[in-house]
Amino acid sequence: MAGTWGRFNVVALALGFAFLYLPIVLLVIYSFNESRLVTVWAGFSTKWYVAMLNNRGLMDAAWVTARVAFLSATVATVLGTMAAVALTRYTRFRGRLLFSGIVFAPLVMPEVITGLSLLLLFVAINFDRGFATVTIAHITFSMCFVAVVVQSRLITFDRSLEEAALDLGATPVKAFFQVTLPVILPAVIAGWMLAFTLSLDDLVIASFTSGPGATTLPMKIYSQVRLGVTPEINAVSTVLIAIVTVGVVVASLANKRQDVLRQREAAE
């Protein structure tokens, strides 16, 4: 009986991974297709990567997306960390329930509603849509994800370390940056990477808040896919997959290295 359940679990796990990752593998394979038809294999070729690099529209959209993602993730990480500290350290202040609701509302709010509300706000204050509005919109919806990640780490943080630094004469700001922040840094980095990935992936909110000269890569890909999928789009998607994969691997190795160093310090 145990062997039957073991085989069932293995088969179920294999089917689950195949369902998740087989389409991605096929996309990567067909990005090297010689033929322009994505469903017909005609031989190995890298010409679509060359065509991608020569496509000025795609490259401009990719540059806009990278700038928006980096800037919005950085600002969202700072604001999300501050919000997490406020919610964790100050459990009794007037308006805490309202503040936490505002911070975490984008987690459950449909993206269409968020994008439409931001569009109406920018129109009401007569703020021209463009790079700045897309960045602000991405900060708005990604900050809550950073707050959740950092708050989960702060809840388990040993406050006695910070209190010891305060007893030794450190100011609260110095104690935070020299004691608390190094301990919660993996969570802060994870929050930044999550916000960066969400910004790279966003289509709906960017469609509402973008303007001339602020077309993001998901918007560009979506507009081209409506006319038909080409191996050039597969090449762009493969590059994005490679970037995300490298980022995840680097972050995992960095976290593992920190864990090893922490264990060595504890043993000494």
Side-chain angles (χ1 to χ4, degrees):
M1 186 68 179
T4 302
W5 277 108
R7 288 191 294 270
F8 175 79
N9 291 335
V10 171
V11 172
L13 184 63
L15 292 176
F17 277 114
F19 178 79
L20 290 174
Y21 295 107
L22 186 58
I24 298 177
V25 173
L26 291 176
L27 183 147
V28 173
I29 292 174
Y30 276 97
S31 68
F32 296 98
N33 189 10
E34 174 70 26
S35 174
R36 188 174 184 83
L37 300 175
V38 294
T39 58
V40 178
W41 180 260
F44 181 86
S45 176
T46 58
K47 69 177 184 179
W48 299 113
Y49 288 88
V50 177
M52 175 194 69
L53 295 175
N54 293 330
N55 191 321
R56 183 63 181 271
L58 280 176
M59 291 297 99
D60 290 343
W63 175 236
V64 170
T65 301
R67 288 187 295 155
V68 169
F70 180 82
L71 184 59
S72 63
T74 303
V75 178
T77 300
V78 175
L79 296 178
T81 302
M82 294 171 62
V85 171
L87 291 172
T88 305
R89 301 293 174 83
Y90 308 102
T91 57
R92 298 179 181 272
F93 64 88
R94 183 175 299 176
R96 185 183 187 279
L97 182 61
L98 177 62
F99 177 72
S100 61
I102 293 174
V103 171
F104 298 126
L107 284 171
V108 296
M109 191 76 67
E111 290 188 348
V112 174
I113 303 300
T114 303
L116 181 58
S117 61
L118 289 170
L119 171 62
L120 294 176
L121 172 64
F122 295 139
V123 172
I125 63 177
N126 197 24
F127 196 86
D128 293 335
R129 286 180 293 163
F131 179 85
T133 54
V134 176
T135 304
I136 294 172
H138 284 193
I139 293 172
T140 301
F141 83 86
S142 61
M143 182 184 70
C144 60
F145 293 92
V146 178
V148 169
V149 174
V150 177
Q151 185 182 11
S152 64
R153 181 64 185 90
L154 283 171
I155 291 175
T156 60
F157 176 72
D158 188 2
R159 289 290 302 276
S160 62
L161 299 175
E162 196 173 77
E163 293 172 355
L166 295 174
D167 292 338
L168 293 173
T171 62
V173 175
K174 188 175 182 179
F176 175 79
F177 281 102
Q178 294 190 355
V179 178
T180 307
L181 185 60
V183 176
I184 67 172
L185 188 59
V188 174
I189 295 175
W192 186 91
M193 293 184 63
L194 179 59
F196 185 83
T197 305
L198 290 171
S199 179
L200 285 180
D201 183 61
D202 176 65
L203 171 64
V204 177
I205 296 177
S207 299
F208 280 99
T209 58
S210 65
T215 301
T216 61
L217 189 58
M219 294 172 59
K220 185 70 175 178
I221 292 175
Y222 179 72
S223 64
Q224 292 194 8
V225 167
R226 294 174 63 184
L227 302 176
V229 180
T230 65
E232 189 175 353
I233 301 300
N234 293 347
V236 176
S237 302
T238 302
V239 172
L240 289 176
I241 293 170
I243 293 173
V244 173
T245 302
V246 170
V248 171
V249 171
V250 170
S252 299
L253 293 176
N255 288 334
K256 185 177 181 179
R257 183 173 181 273
Q258 287 186 351
D259 292 339
V260 171
L261 292 176
R262 193 178 300 111
Q263 292 175 359
R264 289 180 179 175
E265 291 176 358
E268 293 175 356

